[in-house]
Amino acid sequence: MIETQKLSKYYGNLAALVDLDLKIEQGDIFGFIGPNGAGKTTTMRILATLLEPTRGRAFIDGLDVMRTGKEVRRRVGYMPDFMGVYDDLKVFEYLEFFAAAFNIERKKRKAIVEGVLELTDLQGKRTAAVDSLSRGMQQRLGLARVLIHDPKVLILDEPASGLDPRARIEIRELLRELKRMGKTIMISSHILSELEEICDHVGIIEHGKMVFSGTMDEIRRQMGIQSKMRVRVAGDRDRAFEVLSSLPQIKEVRPEDGYLAVTYAEGHEIDGTIARTLVQAGLDVIALEPEQLKLDNAFLQLTKGIVH
Ligand code: ATP
C-alpha cells in the first residue's frame, strides 16, 4: 500500500534521506522509528506529496506520489508533528473547515464531522475552542481531521509525543480501532517501546538510512537483544558459577549483589535449564528472576555507532 524505491532527499549537501526502500502492506501498522533529524518527517512529507524527493520513487496504493498527487492526496491522511494555532476556532468549526477544504458537500459535512468526533471520543468538546484542548485531545482532534475524507492510508508524524501515559493509551486504542477499520497506518516516533505493542512492522532509520526493518520479534533478534536472569543459590556460589558458565546457551555469568547475573541470547527458554542444572549439581535454587534488558537501551546501543 505504501512503497518507496531508493528514495533520497538532499538539502544542499545534507543527505536527509538516502536510498530508502520501504514496503508497507495494506492493513498494517508500521512504526517508523528514529532519533531527531533521522529523516522521518522528510519521508512522510514526500509520501504526503508535500515535498519533492531529490531521487527515487514513492507509491501509495500503486500511484506515483510525484505524478498523481491529487489522487494520492485523496487516499492519504497526513498528520504533521505540529498542529498550528487556531485562535478562537471551535472544534466543530475546525473540522467543518477541513471538510469544506476536501470538497465534501455541505449537507454531508455535519454527519461526517459527528462521525469523526465520535470515533475520536471528542463529542463532548464539540463547541470547545481548539486552543483550549489538552495536548492529548488536540492529538485526537488532529486524527479526527485526517479522517474527514475517509483516507485508506494514515501517515502520522509523532502523534504520541508529549502525551501523558493515559493519553498515549487512548491514542493507541484509537489506532487499533482504525486498523480494524482497514486503514494502513504509518506512524513515527523516536521511542521504539512506545510503538512496540501496536506495530505489525517496524523500520528504524538513522541519518537518512534504514538500519533495520522487520517485525518486532525480528527486530529483537536482529538487535541481538539479550536477556538476563538473576539467580540466587544456597551454599557454594563458586560451584554454581562454574556449573552455569559451562552451559552453552549462556553468554556470561557475573556475581552481582549476592546473586549471579546470567546473560543469555533472546529466544532461549533458559529458566528450566538453569534450575535443573543447579539442582543436579546439588545446589538449592532460592531465586530465579528474569530481567529483560530494556528494548530502548538496546536500540540506543545499537544505533550509536552503526552508521558513523
Ligand atoms: P524529528 O524527530 O526531529 O522530527 P526527523 O527524523 O523527522 O526528526 P527530518 O525532519 O526529516 O528528521 O530531518 C532530516 C534532516 O534534514 C535533519 O538533519 C534536518 O535538520 C534536515 N532538514 C529538514 N528540513 C530541512 C530544510 N527545510 N532545510 C534544510 N535541512 C532540513
Side-chain angles (χ1 to χ4, degrees):
M1 183 56 88
I2 303 178
E3 188 171 353
T4 69
Q5 296 169 353
K6 295 205 171 305
L7 198 65
S8 306
K9 176 73 187 177
Y10 289 79
Y11 294 105
N13 284 334
L14 181 98
L17 204 60
V18 186
D19 291 340
L20 186 85
D21 291 323
L22 191 72
K23 210 166 185 174
I24 306 176
E25 302 296 337
Q26 178 171 2
D28 255 18
I29 302 188
F30 179 84
F32 199 31
I33 320 285
N36 291 336
K40 305 180 298 293
T41 301
T42 300
T43 308
M44 290 178 142
R45 284 176 56 83
I46 293 172
L47 289 169
T49 78
L50 299 173
L51 188 68
E52 283 219 6
T54 312
R55 240 188 8 243
R57 304 178 75 185
F59 303 89
I60 301 266
D61 202 9
L63 297 166
D64 189 318
V65 298
M66 269 72 77
R67 299 206 181 125
T68 46
K70 208 168 160 198
E71 283 79 3
V72 168
R73 280 193 289 278
R74 221 174 278 149
R75 288 165 169 78
V76 172
Y78 168 64
M79 181 170 154
D81 43 359
F82 294 105
M83 208 166 119
V85 180
Y86 296 89
D87 287 331
D88 291 337
L89 208 55
K90 295 193 169 69
V91 164
F92 79 94
E93 291 168 339
Y94 173 84
L95 293 173
E96 283 185 2
F97 168 79
F98 281 99
F102 276 110
N103 285 326
I104 291 167
E105 282 174 60
R106 190 178 289 270
K107 55 179 192 267
K108 289 190 183 160
R109 279 180 215 159
K110 211 171 159 48
I112 287 174
V113 166
E114 282 309 309
V116 295
L117 281 174
E118 190 184 330
L119 189 62
T120 52
D121 203 16
L122 284 171
Q123 305 101 307
K125 293 287 169 187
R126 198 177 283 112
T127 55
V130 172
D131 287 342
S132 73
L133 299 180
S134 68
R135 169 102 181 131
M137 284 178 194
Q138 284 199 356
Q139 292 302 81
R140 294 214 302 274
L141 180 61
L143 275 169
R145 182 192 111 187
V146 300
L147 291 168
I148 287 267
H149 62 299
D150 195 22
K152 291 180 173 181
V153 172
L154 297 176
I155 297 178
L156 312 173
D157 201 352
E158 307 220 15
S161 89
L163 299 187
D164 62 37
R166 189 199 158 103
R168 216 175 295 152
I169 290 169
E170 285 166 359
I171 290 278
R172 211 180 289 161
E173 286 308 311
L174 183 50
L175 293 176
R176 286 206 180 102
E177 178 63 28
L178 294 171
K179 180 185 160 78
R180 279 194 288 274
M181 290 165 68
K183 310 279 184 204
T184 304
I185 304 173
M186 180 178 189
I187 171 173
S188 71
S189 172
H190 49 272
I191 307 169
L192 180 57
S193 57
E194 194 171 89
L195 300 183
E196 132 180 55
E197 275 179 45
I198 50 164
C199 289
D200 302 295
H201 290 89
V202 182
I204 297 178
I205 185 173
E206 170 102 356
H207 293 297
K209 292 182 185 155
M210 194 72 104
V211 290
F212 281 104
S213 70
T215 61
M216 271 320 296
D217 276 348
E218 282 164 354
I219 291 266
R220 282 195 194 93
R221 257 201 310 272
Q222 281 186 54
M223 281 181 169
I225 290 184
Q226 296 182 343
S227 296
K228 210 166 131 184
M229 186 81 77
R230 278 156 61 87
V231 184
R232 192 173 197 131
V233 290
D236 190 349
R237 202 143 59 92
D238 290 343
R239 171 88 184 113
F241 183 92
E242 227 171 79
V243 169
L244 292 177
S245 300
S246 70
L247 288 173
Q249 306 92 318
I250 287 177
K251 295 197 161 176
E252 191 192 21
V253 185
R254 218 160 17 87
E256 196 178 278
D257 313 325
Y259 284 80
L260 289 172
V262 177
T263 311
Y264 58 99
E266 177 89 355
H268 285 288
E269 288 298 328
I270 200 83
D271 39 354
T273 311
I274 291 179
R276 213 171 25 250
T277 311
L278 290 171
V279 171
Q280 278 167 3
L283 295 154
D284 284 336
V285 181
I286 301 174
L288 203 57
E289 301 163 2
E291 174 191 325
Q292 198 184 61
L293 285 186
K294 290 278 312 165
L295 195 57
D296 285 324
N297 288 344
F299 166 56
L300 282 182
Q301 276 167 24
L302 181 95
T303 52
K304 235 186 272 171
I306 203 156
V307 236
H308 302 293

